[in-house]
Amino acid sequence: MKSRIRGTLAVCAALLGLLAPTAAAADPFPEPSELSKSAGQKFRLKVVGTGKYVTLSGTDQGAREGALRARAGAPAAGKAGLPYVFTLHTSRAASAHDYGETISLRSAQNGLFVTAERDHPDPDTGMLRARTDGPVGGWERFTLKARPNGAYALKSAATGTYLSARDSQDGLLRAMVPEADVKGWETFVLEPVAGPGSLVRAPAATPRTLDVMSWNVCANNGAREADGTERCSFYQDTPALFTERFMSHIGTVRPDAVLLQEFCEKYARPLENALEAGGGPKWDVRFAPIEYRAEVDQALGDLTVQKPCVQDSAGGDRGAYGVAIAVPEENTFYEAHRLTSPAAIDVEQRTALCATVPSWSVHACTTHFSPGSGTADTAIRTAQAAELRTEIEAAAGQGYRTIFGGDLNATPGQPGAVSFYDAGHRECDQSASTPTGTTDASTAKIDYVFGPADGVWSACAVKPSAHSDHHSVRGKVTLP
């Protein structure tokens, strides 16, 4: 059986409640901090046969604690609706494809993966519960089967049967139905949950100088050099160790904004806390996943699922893999933008993550473009650059000064980077239109920080680190 760390904590909390009966009752499902920081796409599951939504039960206890039930007609908005919200993930399985062949469901309410309880006796055989921290195993894997009207049936890898809401016990979900019997009770619509809304007009801009840094921290690359040394020693760092090493790298003077790539989701909150340590200004560290296309037996849309970071050296789950951005806490708008990426199922689907700082009248974006050297790869990066420019231009049209960058996987004269210079954006490491400096272990410049055309950069520098195969890029930009 899988471990249930949060269940143990709940028991401890209950015992404490017996000792202190006057204390206020704790929220049985506090929002997990890592998911509250993620801009990844979230979904609700609606049963086609009944129109009801799947929810994480807050009343089931014991062997049914964390049970999923289909019983909500209209989920509430905001935090009250979190029990009805899930994220989709994929993990490496023994199959032809590394990722995308199976999916897993993760509750946005308690942060735990959904399991099919294969070994429970009737009437709970195959019961679904959100109870596993990760990493994902066979009990948490499902295969998507496309159905008419954009819906899906989900086949459990643990039971070999399909997820069903036909159970008479108040909508209890069980993986219990053979394929021949799949009907409306076994068919689900994945409804995307809307993002934070539209970008509003920026306040009037005032002159300001900002310290901006970008770094591909290589937190999920376990490759080794020829001499056997780890290329990226952030690989499999616990959140605490990563944060300690990261803060040592940036030094005693905090940047004003940080753009991050190859980052792990569960690093976001600890990094935010570390940046705030010592009584300084409050920060907001946001994350967006890099995804894979989900494999289904029939093309009915473009469903993507989040890729996990490998577990840390202590066996802990580090959440999804992607990019992140750190800006002041006043940020109220953040949004992930999916970028054109190769169509193959087993190739990463890239993203850009943007956030705003109203008092600066600044819109900041981080991204990581696709790698490769062929004609098709070049065309992909060209498209990705054009899509990021569209986002930047839209923000500029709302009065924001734009700061953006990341690992573009292109040298300054190659498609994927050159168009930003051609459009007039000023780059941190730019002198007389000739960028200099190397930013990765192969002595190429592929990492950038750009500002607006009227921005003036100073003190730009790259800083090597033994913990990543990329150097950080950092400079000060004066905005008129």
Side-chain angles (χ1 to χ4, degrees):
M1 298 289 286
K2 298 281 185 178
S3 64
R4 292 168 54 209
I5 296 173
R6 285 183 173 86
T8 301
L9 293 176
V11 171
C12 293
L15 292 174
L16 290 173
L18 292 176
L19 298 175
T22 60
D27 183 348
F29 292 124
E31 183 180 0
S33 62
E34 65 273 11
L35 292 184
S36 69
K37 307 303 294 181
S38 177
Q41 180 64 63
K42 300 175 178 65
F43 296 87
R44 297 186 184 96
L45 278 71
K46 183 178 181 180
V47 182
V48 171
T50 63
K52 294 186 179 296
Y53 288 85
V54 174
T55 180
L56 176 64
S57 171
T59 58
D60 285 297
Q61 299 296 323
R64 284 186 173 179
E65 182 180 355
L68 268 60
R69 295 181 179 274
R71 60 186 183 189
K79 186 175 181 180
L82 281 177
Y84 308 100
V85 177
F86 299 86
T87 50
L88 303 183
H89 300 259
T90 184
S91 60
R92 192 180 297 273
S95 66
H97 300 293
D98 287 339
Y99 296 103
E101 188 170 82
T102 61
I103 66 105
S104 298
L105 300 169
R106 186 181 181 193
S107 168
Q109 179 66 84
N110 68 6
L112 303 181
F113 287 99
V114 173
T115 70
E117 303 291 344
R118 180 186 62 191
D119 294 339
H120 273 260
D122 278 333
D124 292 342
T125 304
M127 174 181 58
L128 264 66
R129 295 197 293 158
R131 69 173 183 86
T132 302
D133 280 298
V136 165
W139 285 25
E140 294 80 38
R141 291 195 178 107
F142 299 86
T143 301
L144 289 172
K145 300 290 185 178
R147 306 295 289 180
N149 303 319
Y152 298 93
L154 285 80
K155 182 179 181 181
S156 167
T159 66
T161 52
Y162 284 79
L163 174 59
S164 176
R166 71 172 70 185
D167 195 289
S168 61
Q169 301 180 58
D170 196 16
L172 183 70
L173 262 68
R174 296 170 60 195
M176 54 175 277
V177 174
E179 185 167 10
D181 294 336
V182 169
K183 295 181 176 62
W185 295 286
E186 292 76 44
T187 306
F188 300 83
V189 175
L190 300 175
E191 291 188 354
V193 177
S198 300
L199 187 64
V200 299
R201 183 76 186 175
T206 56
R208 181 178 296 272
T209 298
L210 299 175
D211 184 342
V212 185
M213 172 181 161
S214 180
W215 194 12
N216 179 330
V217 293
C218 191
N220 200 49
N221 189 337
R224 294 183 179 274
E225 305 293 355
D227 62 2
T229 59
E230 197 77 63
R231 184 197 299 173
C232 301
S233 60
F234 280 138
Y235 179 65
Q236 290 192 295
D237 270 4
T238 63
L241 181 55
F242 170 84
T243 301
E244 177 185 342
R245 289 172 162 178
F246 183 91
M247 296 304 295
S248 176
H249 179 81
I250 66 173
T252 57
V253 179
R254 305 282 196 269
D256 294 306
V258 185
L259 317 178
L260 296 161
Q261 306 85 47
E262 296 193 30
F263 190 82
C264 295
E265 178 186 23
K266 291 190 178 181
Y267 288 170
R269 181 71 72 177
L271 178 58
E272 183 178 289
N273 293 339
L275 288 167
E276 293 176 350
K282 297 296 185 180
W283 285 76
D284 186 21
V285 180
R286 293 286 173 178
F287 170 85
I290 286 176
E291 301 176 316
Y292 278 78
R293 295 180 186 274
E295 181 173 338
V296 294
D297 59 350
Q298 178 181 343
L300 282 179
D302 190 19
L303 186 67
T304 57
V305 288
Q306 301 180 29
K307 167 189 175 180
C309 282
V310 298
Q311 63 196 81
D312 65 32
S313 57
D317 177 61
R318 295 191 296 164
Y321 163 79
V323 298
I325 191 166
V327 293
E329 186 184 45
E330 67 176 279
N331 164 44
T332 57
F333 176 88
Y334 58 94
E335 189 170 39
H337 301 272
R338 284 181 59 190
L339 303 176
T340 294
S341 299
I345 289 171
D346 55 354
V347 177
E348 290 178 358
Q349 305 298 293
R350 301 298 175 140
T351 190
L353 173 64
C354 301
T356 61
V357 185
S359 68
W360 299 350
S361 298
V362 162
H363 188 70
C365 300
T366 180
T367 193
H368 188 182
F369 287 173
S370 297
S373 57
T375 301
D377 296 318
T378 298
I380 289 293
R381 281 191 298 279
T382 301
Q384 291 170 344
E387 290 159 359
L388 181 56
R389 287 199 313 277
T390 297
E391 163 60 20
I392 292 164
E393 290 162 5
Q398 292 281 31
Y400 290 93
R401 284 87 63 90
T402 55
I403 294 170
F404 63 97
D407 179 355
L408 304 186
N409 270 310
T411 58
Q414 293 178 328
V418 69
S419 63
F420 296 116
Y421 296 101
D422 292 345
H425 301 287
R426 297 291 296 178
E427 199 257 326
C428 170
D429 192 30
Q430 184 174 348
S431 176
S433 300
T434 306
T436 59
T438 60
T439 63
D440 77 344
S442 64
T443 68
K445 177 181 174 61
I446 60 175
D447 300 86
Y448 303 81
V449 178
F450 284 94
D454 55 1
V456 178
W457 287 94
S458 63
C460 189
V462 295
K463 183 176 181 180
S465 170
H467 303 309
S468 174
D469 60 356
H470 287 250
H471 309 329
S472 63
V473 180
R474 184 173 177 179
K476 295 182 178 180
V477 60
T478 298
L479 304 172

